[in-house]
Amino acid sequence: MLCLADASVCVYSLPTFELQGNLTRSKGCNLFDWNDSRGVLCVATKRRLLLYHYDGRNFVELKEIPMNDIVRCLAWCGDAICLGLRKEYVLVNAATGINTDVFPTGKSSTPNILPVPPPLTPGPGGFGASGDSGDAEELLLARDNVGIFVGAGGKPTRKHGLPWTETPSATVGFPPYAVAALTNSFEVRNLQRGSQHSLAQTLPLRGVLGVVAAADSVGRGVKCSASSEGDDVVLYAFTATSVVRLTGVPIPSQVAQLLDTAQFEVALLLCELLAAAPSLRAELTETAHRRCAHHRFHGGLYDDAMRHFGAGGASPLEVLALFPGLLPPALAAVAARHGHQSRVPPSNTRHLPPTLEDWPSSSQEALSALLPFLIGTRMRLRDASSSSSSLLIWGPDDEEAVALDTATLCVLVTTGAPREAVLELLEPPTAVHPAAGEQMLVDAGRYAELVTLHLALGQHRRALELLQRLATSASGSTSGRGSSRTFGPHDTVRYLREIRPSDPLLTLEFSRWVLREQPGVETLELFTTADPPLPVEDVLPHLRMHAAQLCVPYLEHEMAARGAELPVAFHDDLVLLYLADLTRARAVAGVEYWNEESSMPDVRRRLLTLLQAPAATSRYNPERMLSRFPQDALFEERAILLSRVGRHEEALTILVRRLNNSVIAEAYCDRVWRQAPFILRPGDMSGGGGVVGELDEWLAVNEDVVTDADNVYHCLLRVYLEQPQDPATAAAADKRASSLSSSRGWLSEALELLTRRHQYIDGKKAVELLPDNVPLREVMPFLEAKMLSSAQLRHKLERHESLLQSQHDEAEEAIRKFKSQSFVVTEEATCAICQKRLNSSVFAIHPDGSLVHFSCLNR
């Protein structure tokens, strides 16, 4: 313990109060101050400062700093020492000893320094949070009747000072207050930032000579407990004849008194000092914010009121009780009942008139202030309901959610909010009251928003009926406050596409008028993008009845999307639709429209692509299609159909005799040959590796294919060499023959075919088909090529035979080797697995020669 006695600093040990000695050179000391965090003692003696450091056992002198005047008061502030001299305040750097003038003391020439306790500076846990060292970082310096806040750098830290009624004779800190002794009273003012340093209390004490705080409060702040029990924070004021003991009122009681006198901001600042009691702090803060909010609302300060409602966690029903005209009667009653249950005194609340029409002009300000509160509360509650741990479900079953969403919609519509803001509110999930929300939007002419409301509530039929009614009205347009637009079929299409999952009945029912009014690609997407897909069996008849021109693009989309999964009947329908389009175009353009020499129309290209597609993806019935296609036109398509049913000779007859195109005919044969199963392709017998495997496959099928009378190349030969029986075909053949350079017509084509495709044609049958008068020299290229390929084939077969014989011999040798092996089984022979004797048991031999029981073999 340090004590100033006999003009020197004495050191005593606790708790025995045994004198340890005096600090050296401290004679003449009139003031001292201890810096606990740095362990340094500052001693003022006449015109100098002495600094001592405590090393745990003794005080060691560090430095001496000379001064120009006698120090009348001093206090630590960070690393600096603030000194009050007779005419000015000086800040001395403890490390360097440099002096910095702060400002004069004023007319009174009586300096007064009050360290502002750390609890008045917010920390990580709030005001008064633990972890503060207790050393002041801010000082209150008296200048006449004003206290000026100064930091460690000597600069003012606050915009406004602390005013006293008169120049105080003494001050002391009593966090969060500063207490001053005046001539006829004892004045208490708030030190917290934001409190405007308001006068908290005035006590009628006269002749106060000085005031000190109890030991537990010096430099440590006040205890922020809920009651006065156990509190050691006291002040002692002494006069010439008495000592007065003053104790602090518990903070909760102070907050209650401040709320009753409408000093809400100061009450909120005091609540922040209750960091040690978080639940009590939260309760008092919430109450203060809500009391303040009702008071501000009563005074017409709507923005400030909503800010405090939000900070106090007020229920939206409590706030909406102040706006009875926003809600339908049932919800208004719920809000009113909730408002009556709030803890706010009724005298502090004021309701607006029960209907919007009776509200004063200032109500627009109230609604504008209410909207951000409603939106913010809605987002907070929706986020809470969407969390995995929440039991709340945002929807029509929650009265609070219904009231909040309905009131928000009413405010948006009443204030003329943009369409985007209303649509954002109505996006699912929304809890807007169906009837009330619809009436609001209808009255405001906001039909687009009404459609969105129906969609969010699942009232699809009502929405679609409204869209049809709006689109088919005289003008097709609507206008109202905040919206003006025209409705049409595209709105119905967009709505039907947004329904998930798709409703087939609604789509078919409400697409009828859309198909009549707007049979385009956008409307077709109703059926091609449905999720889940609509049955083709229902959509195609529907399109045929209301928009036949969309049948083809619809079936094309289904073919591309589903392919072979699409039933055969719809493949046939697409082919017949193409044919119908061609027939209608021919009726308009005439026979030349189908002239193969002219430019091919797009629909015919698509028909050919469909007919030529592999059977795995294009599953139309060719037999049925043959009966529907014309006999006098579309010869290429008819040839494709004949090919699909295996009537190759008829198809080749059309290509050769009708189309007069041998190139296409030969390509046709090549395609059929390549598509035939198990046929050795050209080049397969060219040699190289894998000869045995190739010949095995070739020999398995070659005899039937090459010698088959229905070989497709034989069919083409017959078409070339035989005369057609049909008169129309014969006329076309004569026309072709007359155009050939050779007088023999198709004979040259047949001979060239024999030469080019000799490996696929049976030589004997080909020679039998040739006319008897054909010169041998013209047949020689074919015969030479055929004999050469036959010789090569024979050579390959001989090689194959040799390889097979070699493999056979190797297999026989291996069999003889295994059969010649012998093994001796004695009485001592044991099983290699179970180690038991074999005796007369059935045994087996491993490849390594070990013997095992037959029963142990598969273990």
Side-chain angles (χ1 to χ4, degrees), residues 368-681:
S368 299
L370 174 64
L371 184 58
F373 169 79
L374 294 178
I375 294 176
T377 304
R378 182 176 187 268
M379 293 178 60
R380 175 172 55 83
L381 294 179
R382 280 188 60 179
D383 292 343
S385 65
S386 61
S387 64
S388 57
S389 60
S390 175
L391 300 178
L392 301 175
I393 299 178
W394 190 268
D397 296 332
D398 186 348
E399 286 184 343
E400 186 177 40
V402 174
L404 180 56
D405 278 9
T406 305
T408 305
L409 176 61
C410 182
V411 174
L412 288 172
V413 172
T414 304
T415 57
R419 178 169 176 260
E420 292 73 17
V422 182
L423 292 179
E424 183 179 358
L425 170 68
L426 298 178
E427 288 180 356
T430 184
V432 174
H433 190 277
E438 180 177 0
Q439 188 61 47
M440 294 176 198
L441 296 173
V442 169
D443 292 343
R446 290 179 175 260
Y447 294 103
E449 292 86 337
L450 178 56
V451 170
T452 304
L453 175 61
H454 287 317
L455 175 64
L457 298 178
Q459 300 173 344
H460 303 309
R461 179 171 293 277
R462 298 189 63 181
L464 292 168
E465 290 173 349
L466 174 62
L467 286 172
Q468 182 177 359
R469 186 166 62 253
L470 293 172
T472 56
S473 61
S475 62
S477 64
T478 61
S479 62
R481 290 181 295 174
S483 66
S484 178
R485 58 163 299 182
T486 300
F487 290 87
H490 59 279
D491 294 289
T492 298
V493 173
R494 189 179 302 111
Y495 187 94
L496 287 170
R497 292 182 62 183
E498 289 180 2
I499 298 177
R500 289 292 181 271
S502 300
D503 190 328
L505 297 179
L506 285 177
T507 302
L508 295 176
E509 178 182 352
F510 287 94
S511 64
R512 295 171 186 167
W513 74 273
V514 177
L515 291 171
R516 291 194 300 268
E517 297 289 334
Q518 184 179 299
V521 177
E522 183 182 6
T523 307
L524 182 62
E525 291 179 353
L526 276 178
F527 310 102
T528 58
T529 62
D531 183 22
L534 302 179
V536 185
E537 297 82 356
D538 297 335
V539 175
L540 189 59
H542 182 74
L543 291 177
R544 280 176 173 160
M545 181 178 298
H546 301 287
Q549 64 270 37
L550 297 181
C551 292
V552 169
Y554 172 71
L555 285 177
E556 287 177 341
H557 173 271
E558 292 298 310
M559 282 281 294
R562 301 173 60 180
E565 297 179 1
L566 192 67
V568 176
F570 299 106
H571 292 253
D572 293 348
D573 287 340
L574 183 56
V575 174
L576 294 177
L577 287 171
Y578 283 146
L579 180 60
D581 287 347
L582 286 171
T583 303
R584 284 191 296 270
R586 183 191 186 192
V588 175
V591 179
E592 294 301 324
Y593 184 78
W594 277 349
N595 187 355
E596 280 73 19
E597 300 298 332
S598 64
S599 59
M600 184 180 296
D602 179 67
V603 65
R604 189 175 178 198
R605 289 192 181 92
R606 288 183 282 159
L607 174 60
L608 286 171
T609 302
L610 176 61
L611 294 177
Q612 293 173 347
T617 57
S618 182
R619 301 172 55 209
Y620 61 86
N621 187 337
E623 291 285 359
R624 181 188 175 201
M625 296 301 103
L626 280 171
S627 64
R628 306 293 293 272
F629 271 68
Q631 297 285 343
D632 59 343
L634 300 178
F635 298 117
E636 189 173 351
E637 289 82 351
R638 190 169 186 82
I640 296 172
L641 294 174
L642 290 170
S643 172
R644 184 67 73 91
V645 297
R647 294 157 63 176
H648 303 306
E649 189 163 351
E650 295 181 44
L652 291 169
T653 300
I654 292 176
L655 296 176
V656 174
R657 303 298 184 180
R658 292 284 190 177
L659 300 181
N660 300 322
N661 196 324
S662 59
V663 176
I664 295 180
E666 189 169 337
Y668 173 90
C669 294
D670 294 340
R671 184 173 66 253
V672 173
W673 182 269
R674 288 194 301 268
Q675 293 175 353
F678 308 113
I679 295 179
L680 203 63
R681 308 290 178 247

Side-chain angles (χ1 to χ4, degrees), residues 637-836:
E637 289 82 351
R638 190 169 186 82
I640 296 172
L641 294 174
L642 290 170
S643 172
R644 184 67 73 91
V645 297
R647 294 157 63 176
H648 303 306
E649 189 163 351
E650 295 181 44
L652 291 169
T653 300
I654 292 176
L655 296 176
V656 174
R657 303 298 184 180
R658 292 284 190 177
L659 300 181
N660 300 322
N661 196 324
S662 59
V663 176
I664 295 180
E666 189 169 337
Y668 173 90
C669 294
D670 294 340
R671 184 173 66 253
V672 173
W673 182 269
R674 288 194 301 268
Q675 293 175 353
F678 308 113
I679 295 179
L680 203 63
R681 308 290 178 247
D684 287 346
M685 301 296 294
S686 60
V691 175
V692 176
E694 293 176 358
L695 287 174
D696 284 339
E697 180 183 358
W698 188 87
L699 290 172
V701 297
N702 184 69
E703 185 67 24
D704 293 337
V705 173
V706 175
T707 62
D708 187 358
D710 293 330
N711 183 294
V712 66
Y713 293 103
H714 296 167
C715 295
L716 182 56
L717 280 175
R718 282 196 295 272
V719 172
Y720 281 154
L721 299 174
E722 295 179 358
Q723 294 297 322
Q725 303 298 324
D726 180 54
T729 306
D734 293 341
K735 180 180 178 182
R736 170 62 174 167
S738 62
S739 66
L740 293 174
S741 59
S742 174
S743 60
R744 290 171 296 177
W746 294 101
L747 180 59
S748 298
E749 298 287 349
L751 294 174
E752 292 178 5
L753 175 67
L754 289 173
T755 303
R756 288 193 300 269
R757 298 291 184 264
H758 64 273
Q759 67 270 37
Y760 306 133
I761 300 175
D762 185 279
K764 180 180 178 182
K765 290 185 178 181
V767 172
E768 291 176 352
L769 290 173
L770 291 173
D772 296 337
N773 57 352
V774 177
L776 182 60
R777 65 177 180 275
E778 296 183 3
V779 187
M780 281 303 296
F782 164 68
L783 295 176
E784 291 175 353
K786 188 66 177 176
M787 292 177 67
L788 178 60
S789 63
S790 299
Q792 292 175 346
L793 176 61
R794 180 177 179 179
H795 178 66
K796 292 181 184 292
L797 291 175
E798 289 175 352
R799 289 173 54 196
H800 179 60
E801 182 182 9
S802 300
L803 290 172
L804 290 177
Q805 184 63 42
S806 176
Q807 293 177 358
H808 176 74
D809 294 343
E810 292 178 358
E812 290 287 344
E813 180 64 25
I815 292 173
R816 284 195 299 270
K817 181 179 179 180
F818 281 111
K819 286 184 176 180
S820 64
Q821 293 181 357
S822 62
F823 299 90
V824 178
V825 182
T826 63
E827 293 182 356
E828 289 78 16
T830 59
C831 175
I833 296 178
C834 69
Q835 305 302 323
K836 295 180 180 180

Side-chain angles (χ1 to χ4, degrees), residues 77 80 82 90-91 100-103 141 148-157:
C77 184
C82 185
V90 177
L91 205 63
T100 302
D101 295 338
V102 182
F103 52 78
L141 307 183
I148 300 175
F149 294 91
V150 176
K155 302 296 182 181
T157 57

Side-chain angles (χ1 to χ4, degrees), residues 349-362:
T349 62
R350 182 185 68 174
H351 298 270
L352 292 171
T355 59
L356 293 176
E357 292 77 7
D358 298 333
W359 284 11
S361 58
S362 61

